PDB file of all heavy atoms in Angstrom:
ATOM      1  N   PRO A 245      96.557 101.536 100.189  1.00 88.00           N
ATOM      2  CA  PRO A 245      95.534 100.537 100.577  1.00 88.00           C
ATOM      3  C   PRO A 245      96.066  99.527 101.615  1.00 88.00           C
ATOM      4  O   PRO A 245      97.222  99.152 101.561  1.00 88.00           O
ATOM      5  CB  PRO A 245      95.207  99.814  99.264  1.00 88.00           C
ATOM      6  CG  PRO A 245      95.735 100.684  98.206  1.00 88.00           C
ATOM      7  CD  PRO A 245      96.877 101.492  98.784  1.00 88.00           C
ATOM      8  N   LYS A 246      95.217  99.163 102.554  1.00 90.00           N
ATOM      9  CA  LYS A 246      95.617  98.250 103.642  1.00 90.00           C
ATOM     10  C   LYS A 246      96.303  97.011 103.133  1.00 90.00           C
ATOM     11  O   LYS A 246      97.310  96.529 103.718  1.00 90.00           O
ATOM     12  CB  LYS A 246      94.451  97.882 104.510  1.00 90.00           C
ATOM     13  CG  LYS A 246      94.023  98.951 105.494  1.00 90.00           C
ATOM     14  CD  LYS A 246      93.013  98.417 106.443  1.00 90.00           C
ATOM     15  CE  LYS A 246      92.619  99.479 107.506  1.00 90.00           C
ATOM     16  NZ  LYS A 246      91.716  98.952 108.471  1.00 90.00           N
ATOM     17  N   GLU A 247      95.808  96.463 102.007  1.00 93.00           N
ATOM     18  CA  GLU A 247      96.375  95.207 101.510  1.00 93.00           C
ATOM     19  C   GLU A 247      97.792  95.375 100.977  1.00 93.00           C
ATOM     20  O   GLU A 247      98.514  94.421 100.769  1.00 93.00           O
ATOM     21  CB  GLU A 247      95.455  94.567 100.450  1.00 93.00           C
ATOM     22  CG  GLU A 247      95.180  95.417  99.255  1.00 93.00           C
ATOM     23  CD  GLU A 247      94.007  96.378  99.380  1.00 93.00           C
ATOM     24  OE1 GLU A 247      93.436  96.528 100.499  1.00 93.00           O
ATOM     25  OE2 GLU A 247      93.639  96.983  98.377  1.00 93.00           O
ATOM     26  N   ASP A 248      98.206  96.607 100.714  1.00 94.00           N
ATOM     27  CA  ASP A 248      99.567  96.909 100.237  1.00 94.00           C
ATOM     28  C   ASP A 248     100.533  97.329 101.313  1.00 94.00           C
ATOM     29  O   ASP A 248     101.716  97.551 101.057  1.00 94.00           O
ATOM     30  CB  ASP A 248      99.514  98.021  99.143  1.00 94.00           C
ATOM     31  CG  ASP A 248      98.776  97.586  97.914  1.00 94.00           C
ATOM     32  OD1 ASP A 248      98.621  96.390  97.663  1.00 94.00           O
ATOM     33  OD2 ASP A 248      98.331  98.488  97.130  1.00 94.00           O
ATOM     34  N   ILE A 249     100.029  97.422 102.523  1.00 96.00           N
ATOM     35  CA  ILE A 249     100.911  97.828 103.651  1.00 96.00           C
ATOM     36  C   ILE A 249     101.437  96.605 104.360  1.00 96.00           C
ATOM     37  O   ILE A 249     100.697  95.658 104.653  1.00 96.00           O
ATOM     38  CB  ILE A 249     100.066  98.672 104.680  1.00 96.00           C
ATOM     39  CG1 ILE A 249      99.584  99.967 104.026  1.00 96.00           C
ATOM     40  CG2 ILE A 249     100.963  99.016 105.878  1.00 96.00           C
ATOM     41  CD1 ILE A 249      98.614 100.731 104.857  1.00 96.00           C
ATOM     42  N   LYS A 250     102.780  96.672 104.589  1.00 96.00           N
ATOM     43  CA  LYS A 250     103.422  95.552 105.287  1.00 96.00           C
ATOM     44  C   LYS A 250     104.435  96.174 106.255  1.00 96.00           C
ATOM     45  O   LYS A 250     105.287  96.959 105.863  1.00 96.00           O
ATOM     46  CB  LYS A 250     104.117  94.603 104.349  1.00 96.00           C
ATOM     47  CG  LYS A 250     104.767  93.452 105.079  1.00 96.00           C
ATOM     48  CD  LYS A 250     105.502  92.520 104.156  1.00 96.00           C
ATOM     49  CE  LYS A 250     106.209  91.425 104.948  1.00 96.00           C
ATOM     50  NZ  LYS A 250     107.223  90.751 104.184  1.00 96.00           N
ATOM     51  N   LEU A 251     104.284  95.855 107.553  1.00 97.00           N
ATOM     52  CA  LEU A 251     105.270  96.260 108.545  1.00 97.00           C
ATOM     53  C   LEU A 251     105.387  95.098 109.519  1.00 97.00           C
ATOM     54  O   LEU A 251     104.373  94.498 109.914  1.00 97.00           O
ATOM     55  CB  LEU A 251     104.755  97.518 109.275  1.00 97.00           C
ATOM     56  CG  LEU A 251     105.759  98.177 110.192  1.00 97.00           C
ATOM     57  CD1 LEU A 251     106.785  98.970 109.366  1.00 97.00           C
ATOM     58  CD2 LEU A 251     105.066  99.137 111.167  1.00 97.00           C
ATOM     59  N   GLU A 252     106.620  94.770 109.858  1.00 97.00           N
ATOM     60  CA  GLU A 252     106.828  93.694 110.811  1.00 97.00           C
ATOM     61  C   GLU A 252     107.404  94.270 112.101  1.00 97.00           C
ATOM     62  O   GLU A 252     108.165  95.205 112.087  1.00 97.00           O
ATOM     63  CB  GLU A 252     107.732  92.632 110.242  1.00 97.00           C
ATOM     64  CG  GLU A 252     107.083  91.857 109.083  1.00 97.00           C
ATOM     65  CD  GLU A 252     107.809  90.653 108.586  1.00 97.00           C
ATOM     66  OE1 GLU A 252     109.025  90.601 108.733  1.00 97.00           O
ATOM     67  OE2 GLU A 252     107.129  89.727 108.147  1.00 97.00           O
ATOM     68  N   LEU A 253     107.016  93.632 113.210  1.00 97.00           N
ATOM     69  CA  LEU A 253     107.433  94.088 114.514  1.00 97.00           C
ATOM     70  C   LEU A 253     107.971  92.862 115.260  1.00 97.00           C
ATOM     71  O   LEU A 253     107.284  91.840 115.361  1.00 97.00           O
ATOM     72  CB  LEU A 253     106.204  94.626 115.241  1.00 97.00           C
ATOM     73  CG  LEU A 253     106.322  95.397 116.521  1.00 97.00           C
ATOM     74  CD1 LEU A 253     107.286  96.559 116.397  1.00 97.00           C
ATOM     75  CD2 LEU A 253     104.973  95.897 116.951  1.00 97.00           C
ATOM     76  N   THR A 254     109.194  92.987 115.740  1.00 97.00           N
ATOM     77  CA  THR A 254     109.756  91.839 116.509  1.00 97.00           C
ATOM     78  C   THR A 254     109.135  91.780 117.867  1.00 97.00           C
ATOM     79  O   THR A 254     108.582  92.789 118.380  1.00 97.00           O
ATOM     80  CB  THR A 254     111.293  91.969 116.688  1.00 97.00           C
ATOM     81  OG1 THR A 254     111.571  93.099 117.462  1.00 97.00           O
ATOM     82  CG2 THR A 254     112.028  92.035 115.352  1.00 97.00           C
ATOM     83  N   ASN A 255     109.142  90.602 118.430  1.00 97.00           N
ATOM     84  CA  ASN A 255     108.603  90.445 119.805  1.00 97.00           C
ATOM     85  C   ASN A 255     109.350  91.360 120.784  1.00 97.00           C
ATOM     86  O   ASN A 255     108.734  91.909 121.683  1.00 97.00           O
ATOM     87  CB  ASN A 255     108.711  88.960 120.249  1.00 97.00           C
ATOM     88  CG  ASN A 255     107.737  88.067 119.498  1.00 97.00           C
ATOM     89  OD1 ASN A 255     106.953  88.563 118.685  1.00 97.00           O
ATOM     90  ND2 ASN A 255     107.797  86.805 119.764  1.00 97.00           N
ATOM     91  N   ARG A 256     110.699  91.454 120.608  1.00 96.00           N
ATOM     92  CA  ARG A 256     111.498  92.327 121.495  1.00 96.00           C
ATOM     93  C   ARG A 256     111.005  93.767 121.442  1.00 96.00           C
ATOM     94  O   ARG A 256     110.837  94.408 122.483  1.00 96.00           O
ATOM     95  CB  ARG A 256     112.979  92.326 121.023  1.00 96.00           C
ATOM     96  CG  ARG A 256     113.883  91.484 121.775  1.00 96.00           C
ATOM     97  CD  ARG A 256     115.341  91.747 121.387  1.00 96.00           C
ATOM     98  NE  ARG A 256     115.538  91.964 119.949  1.00 96.00           N
ATOM     99  CZ  ARG A 256     116.120  91.093 119.132  1.00 96.00           C
ATOM    100  NH1 ARG A 256     116.631  89.948 119.585  1.00 96.00           N
ATOM    101  NH2 ARG A 256     116.250  91.334 117.845  1.00 96.00           N
ATOM    102  N   ALA A 257     110.711  94.268 120.237  1.00 97.00           N
ATOM    103  CA  ALA A 257     110.264  95.652 120.104  1.00 97.00           C
ATOM    104  C   ALA A 257     108.845  95.774 120.707  1.00 97.00           C
ATOM    105  O   ALA A 257     108.599  96.744 121.409  1.00 97.00           O
ATOM    106  CB  ALA A 257     110.210  96.048 118.641  1.00 97.00           C
ATOM    107  N   ALA A 258     107.988  94.821 120.466  1.00 97.00           N
ATOM    108  CA  ALA A 258     106.616  94.862 121.015  1.00 97.00           C
ATOM    109  C   ALA A 258     106.642  94.816 122.538  1.00 97.00           C
ATOM    110  O   ALA A 258     105.884  95.558 123.197  1.00 97.00           O
ATOM    111  CB  ALA A 258     105.799  93.734 120.458  1.00 97.00           C
ATOM    112  N   GLU A 259     107.494  93.992 123.106  1.00 97.00           N
ATOM    113  CA  GLU A 259     107.576  93.887 124.593  1.00 97.00           C
ATOM    114  C   GLU A 259     108.104  95.221 125.166  1.00 97.00           C
ATOM    115  O   GLU A 259     107.628  95.675 126.200  1.00 97.00           O
ATOM    116  CB  GLU A 259     108.514  92.734 124.959  1.00 97.00           C
ATOM    117  CG  GLU A 259     107.891  91.393 124.714  1.00 97.00           C
ATOM    118  CD  GLU A 259     108.848  90.241 124.696  1.00 97.00           C
ATOM    119  OE1 GLU A 259     110.071  90.418 124.870  1.00 97.00           O
ATOM    120  OE2 GLU A 259     108.376  89.100 124.479  1.00 97.00           O
ATOM    121  N   GLN A 260     109.029  95.863 124.490  1.00 97.00           N
ATOM    122  CA  GLN A 260     109.520  97.187 124.960  1.00 97.00           C
ATOM    123  C   GLN A 260     108.424  98.253 124.849  1.00 97.00           C
ATOM    124  O   GLN A 260     108.261  99.044 125.789  1.00 97.00           O
ATOM    125  CB  GLN A 260     110.760  97.565 124.158  1.00 97.00           C
ATOM    126  CG  GLN A 260     111.441  98.811 124.705  1.00 97.00           C
ATOM    127  CD  GLN A 260     112.023  98.643 126.082  1.00 97.00           C
ATOM    128  OE1 GLN A 260     112.393  97.571 126.520  1.00 97.00           O
ATOM    129  NE2 GLN A 260     112.092  99.724 126.810  1.00 97.00           N
ATOM    130  N   LEU A 261     107.672  98.191 123.804  1.00 97.00           N
ATOM    131  CA  LEU A 261     106.565  99.147 123.634  1.00 97.00           C
ATOM    132  C   LEU A 261     105.473  98.915 124.701  1.00 97.00           C
ATOM    133  O   LEU A 261     104.957  99.868 125.259  1.00 97.00           O
ATOM    134  CB  LEU A 261     105.938  99.031 122.221  1.00 97.00           C
ATOM    135  CG  LEU A 261     106.815  99.581 121.115  1.00 97.00           C
ATOM    136  CD1 LEU A 261     106.311  99.063 119.762  1.00 97.00           C
ATOM    137  CD2 LEU A 261     106.917 101.075 121.177  1.00 97.00           C
ATOM    138  N   GLN A 262     105.240  97.658 125.008  1.00 97.00           N
ATOM    139  CA  GLN A 262     104.252  97.347 126.066  1.00 97.00           C
ATOM    140  C   GLN A 262     104.766  97.883 127.429  1.00 97.00           C
ATOM    141  O   GLN A 262     103.994  98.430 128.210  1.00 97.00           O
ATOM    142  CB  GLN A 262     104.071  95.848 126.092  1.00 97.00           C
ATOM    143  CG  GLN A 262     102.994  95.376 127.086  1.00 97.00           C
ATOM    144  CD  GLN A 262     102.901  93.855 127.112  1.00 97.00           C
ATOM    145  OE1 GLN A 262     103.881  93.152 127.237  1.00 97.00           O
ATOM    146  NE2 GLN A 262     101.665  93.367 127.000  1.00 97.00           N
ATOM    147  N   SER A 263     106.054  97.715 127.652  1.00 96.00           N
ATOM    148  CA  SER A 263     106.651  98.212 128.891  1.00 96.00           C
ATOM    149  C   SER A 263     106.528  99.721 129.000  1.00 96.00           C
ATOM    150  O   SER A 263     106.249 100.273 130.080  1.00 96.00           O
ATOM    151  CB  SER A 263     108.111  97.771 128.962  1.00 96.00           C
ATOM    152  OG  SER A 263     108.751  98.337 130.031  1.00 96.00           O
ATOM    153  N   ILE A 264     106.709 100.407 127.910  1.00 95.00           N
ATOM    154  CA  ILE A 264     106.629 101.903 127.879  1.00 95.00           C
ATOM    155  C   ILE A 264     105.184 102.292 128.183  1.00 95.00           C
ATOM    156  O   ILE A 264     104.938 103.187 128.996  1.00 95.00           O
ATOM    157  CB  ILE A 264     107.105 102.468 126.495  1.00 95.00           C
ATOM    158  CG1 ILE A 264     108.607 102.301 126.390  1.00 95.00           C
ATOM    159  CG2 ILE A 264     106.662 103.930 126.375  1.00 95.00           C
ATOM    160  CD1 ILE A 264     109.172 102.551 124.976  1.00 95.00           C
TER     161      ILE A 264
END
Side-chain angles (χ1 to χ4, degrees):
K246 281 188 177 185
E247 59 274 8
D248 294 341
I249 298 172
K250 181 183 177 196
L251 190 75
E252 293 191 330
L253 190 56
T254 65
N255 290 357
R256 259 190 319 252
E259 288 162 359
Q260 188 64 28
L261 290 165
Q262 184 181 49
S263 173
I264 290 167

